[in-house]
Amino acid sequence: MRLDLQTLLVFDGIVVVLCGFSFVLNTATRRNDLAGRLWSVSFIGAILSVICFGIWGGTSDASWILVIGNAAYSLVSGMIWSGCRAFNGRRPYIVVVALAAAAVTVASLVTAQSQGAWQGSLVLFPVIAVFSGLAGFEALRGRLLRNVNARVLAGALWVVAIYYGLRTVAFAIGGPQGELFVTYFGPEISTILLTAFVLLGTISLSILQVERAGASALGDLTVGTLSVVGLLSASAFAQQWQDWLERAAARSERLAMIAIDIDSLPEINTALGRNFGDGVILQVAKIVRALAPTGALLGHPGAGRFVIVMVVINDNEAPKLARRIRDALVDHPIDESQSLRATASFGVVSTDVFGYDMTVLAAALDEVTQLTRAAGGNHIEVGHSDEPEGSTPARPPS
């Protein structure tokens, strides 16, 4: 059986509208947070785009509707990326997505006469590819990293990114009538891919929202300014961290930061259950509280991550504390009967190397911790500047 394009578009439109309406309704009634709202905008963009493309298919002269449809289509992957960043507690960069949508709109208007039904495609296709790739990468970071559904979403996003990257190349080489484009990247194949992605994305994002609404991750549960394990929650910790940096910069004091990421927490939750995973988090939190200096700032920005900010007088204090915590994790089993022990990946950075900008320090802390995790975990990595030897990092004036 061979389905014609119009039938595929109708089927795709029904799927997108039903999935989009279901997700937006569930977000509004269950957990109306920033990530959910941004993902809802993504589904609204998908619904608007299929409506516009449907109107275009039923009329002979409606280039203006394609302008709207292309702009809405560009929001789909862009808002998924922004929503993933918001879910991870990072800036969503909505302005970047809006600028990309504006660029698609302008390109669609400029090429309306010359490219007809494919107006704006040379901008739309790479925008979809880039945002899909970025969203796939973001789905494997931070809070999303611990969820299996986020990995499924990341895989689907990367498939879309690769497909639209290749589609851009095929369109640029031979245009919409080129043999390569028509054979492998025509509207029929793209419609089937979009339908499959919408179904898979709806399932993955809905489960992420439901699990988050259930507050099953200890790092997302707060009691006042603290997480339920007794350390500063994400927002409170970020505020205190910024305050410490400003005061330390004014006094030219040296601060060191230690990130502690529990190894294989998603696998632990999958294999041994969420309750056991929560026990791992509680055990690590207990050890961090017991060994960190009394005057240190202790944060719990995510279920599997802890951060220590402390005043130091030399380069050895922070790595030494990280080693003590690592050894304590090995010495204290989570389950005495099974002798199961938690391990963690440690990243260490300091203001002497990276300065007093919290954005720079947070990025450096993420990078060195990722290096530790890539090396197999249960390891300590100290961040070093990429600047030439002998140079000094910029400091705010005292």
Side-chain angles (χ1 to χ4, degrees), residues 132-147:
S132 296
L134 290 173
F137 177 74
E138 190 65 36
L140 297 179
R141 300 184 62 179
R143 296 173 183 172
L144 287 169
L145 178 64
R146 65 177 178 250
N147 197 297

Side-chain angles (χ1 to χ4, degrees), residues 31 33 35 39 84-89 136-154 204 207-222 227-229 233-234 260-281 299-306 370 373:
R31 185 184 178 97
D33 61 356
W39 287 336
C84 288
R85 289 184 62 88
F87 193 102
N88 284 335
F137 177 74
E138 190 65 36
L140 297 179
R141 300 184 62 179
R143 296 173 183 172
L144 287 169
L145 178 64
R146 65 177 178 250
N147 197 297
V148 175
N149 291 286
R151 300 182 184 184
V152 175
L153 178 64
S204 298
I207 293 175
L208 286 171
Q209 283 291 81
V210 170
E211 288 185 352
R212 196 178 184 198
S216 57
L218 294 185
D220 300 328
L221 278 169
T222 60
S227 76
V228 293
V229 299
S233 61
I260 305 155
D261 281 13
I262 300 174
D263 292 330
S264 305
L265 187 58
E267 289 78 8
I268 292 173
N269 289 331
T270 301
L272 301 174
R274 176 74 68 175
N275 288 337
F276 189 89
D278 289 348
V280 173
I281 295 170
H300 189 196
R305 162 167 282 211
F306 303 90
Q370 289 284 356
R373 187 182 296 111

Side-chain angles (χ1 to χ4, degrees), residues 25-238:
L25 181 62
N26 277 301
T27 299
T29 56
R30 285 180 177 270
R31 185 184 178 97
N32 190 17
D33 61 356
L34 179 58
R37 290 195 296 271
L38 292 173
W39 287 336
S40 294
V41 172
S42 173
F43 278 100
I44 292 171
I47 293 172
L48 180 58
S49 66
V50 297
I51 291 175
C52 290
F53 295 151
I55 294 174
W56 166 80
T59 182
S60 58
D61 183 22
S63 61
W64 59 271
I65 203 69
L66 287 180
V67 175
I68 300 175
N70 286 347
Y73 198 8
S74 68
L75 292 176
V76 176
S77 57
M79 284 302 176
I80 290 178
W81 172 63
S82 291
C84 288
R85 289 184 62 88
F87 193 102
N88 284 335
R90 292 153 59 83
R91 290 180 59 187
Y93 290 128
I94 301 173
V95 174
V96 175
V97 180
L99 290 175
V104 171
T105 302
V106 173
S108 299
L109 288 170
V110 171
T111 60
Q113 298 300 321
S114 60
Q115 295 184 355
W118 298 97
Q119 61 193 67
S121 295
L122 271 180
V123 177
L124 174 63
F125 293 169
V127 163
I128 296 173
V130 169
F131 279 133
S132 296
L134 290 173
F137 177 74
E138 190 65 36
L140 297 179
R141 300 184 62 179
R143 296 173 183 172
L144 287 169
L145 178 64
R146 65 177 178 250
N147 197 297
V148 175
N149 291 286
R151 300 182 184 184
V152 175
L153 178 64
L157 286 164
W158 280 337
V159 169
V160 173
I162 293 171
Y163 177 83
Y164 269 90
L166 295 174
R167 198 182 193 201
T168 302
V169 175
F171 188 89
I173 293 175
Q177 304 305 322
E179 182 179 355
L180 178 63
F181 186 86
V182 172
T183 304
Y184 299 105
F185 303 101
E188 294 87 355
I189 297 177
S190 300
T191 302
I192 294 173
L193 178 67
L194 176 62
T195 303
F197 173 74
V198 168
L199 289 171
L200 188 59
T202 302
I203 294 170
S204 298
L205 293 175
S206 297
I207 293 175
L208 286 171
Q209 283 291 81
V210 170
E211 288 185 352
R212 196 178 184 198
S216 57
L218 294 185
D220 300 328
L221 278 169
T222 60
V223 180
T225 61
L226 302 178
S227 76
V228 293
V229 299
L231 282 68
L232 287 171
S233 61
S235 59
F237 173 68

Side-chain angles (χ1 to χ4, degrees), residues 327-359:
D327 294 343
L329 291 175
V330 175
D331 293 339
H332 296 83
I334 305 300
D335 189 325
E336 293 284 354
S337 62
Q338 302 181 49
S339 297
L340 296 175
R341 288 165 169 79
T343 64
S345 299
F346 295 81
V348 180
V349 300
S350 70
T351 54
D352 270 5
V353 177
F354 295 97
Y356 292 88
D357 186 282
M358 189 172 74
T359 303

